Amino acid sequence: MSTSVTTIHAGKVLIGDEFVEKNNQVIEINNGKIGKIRELKKGEKPTYSFPESTLSPGFIDTHVHLFSDSSANFGANKTDSDHMIQIFGNMGEFLSAGVTTVRDLGSPGTLVADTRDAVNRGQVIGPRILTANRVITITGGHGYQIGIE
């Protein structure tokens, strides 16, 4: 099995839960996973170099509704196709903002769970997804449009 290593150099890297700042670091990525973070060696030519940039761990958003366009009707009168287009658009927005994990707290049916599974299989690019699927609510309560009353 061949190993593919990509090296990314950054002027600063924030590491760990305490966001310890280290200067002039290289992140080694082995077959798509972070291997180690170390100092740039003298004369080393990394795959990518961003000497004026700071890299940080991915962010986590713990309350999202990937299917939602944030309108007042909260997804009422939308088709599954409409919801899927919104889910894919929102996933791209989260990734662009550095959010690599989302916790989806309610969506129609199993649309977000199905999307999560597609991300996990590598079929689509998206953040790591934790999902509650359909919400349980009182009649006419919060999220009734997509939940089980």
Side-chain angles (χ1 to χ4, degrees):
M1 181 169 113
S2 67
T3 302
S4 171
V5 178
T6 300
T7 54
I8 302 172
H9 166 246
K12 295 178 185 172
V13 176
L14 303 178
I15 300 174
D17 294 341
E18 301 297 319
F19 291 107
V20 173
E21 183 179 298
K22 292 197 173 189
N23 296 318
N24 214 26
Q25 297 293 296
V26 170
I27 299 172
E28 291 184 2
I29 301 173
N30 300 306
N31 293 317
K33 302 223 182 240
I34 294 175
K36 63 181 171 179
I37 301 172
R38 58 173 174 76
E39 277 192 46
L40 179 69
K41 298 172 186 167
K42 186 173 179 149
E44 181 178 1
K45 301 286 185 206
T47 310
Y48 302 98
S49 185
F50 306 99
E52 303 298 320
S53 296
T54 300
L55 295 180
S56 71
F59 296 103
I60 300 171
D61 192 328
T62 61
H63 189 145
V64 306
H65 299 281
L66 285 174
F67 80 95
S68 177
D69 61 3
S70 300
S71 66
N73 70 3
F74 202 61
N77 304 317
K78 301 274 180 128
T79 67
D80 283 353
S81 295
D82 293 332
H83 290 312
M84 289 306 296
I85 290 167
Q86 191 68 49
I87 288 168
F88 278 77
N90 286 341
M91 287 194 314
E93 292 289 327
F94 279 115
L95 289 177
S96 293
V99 176
T100 58
T101 301
V102 296
R103 186 175 67 162
D104 186 278
L105 296 179
S107 61
T110 62
L111 295 177
V112 173
D114 296 339
T115 303
R116 173 206 57 210
D117 295 345
V119 169
N120 291 347
R121 287 190 300 267
Q123 292 176 296
V124 296
I125 297 173
R128 179 181 303 116
I129 299 171
L130 309 170
T131 184
N133 291 320
R134 294 179 77 187
V135 298
I136 299 172
T137 183
I138 62 170
T139 301
H142 177 69
Y144 76 92
Q145 302 93 327
I146 54 132
I148 302 168
E149 294 180 284

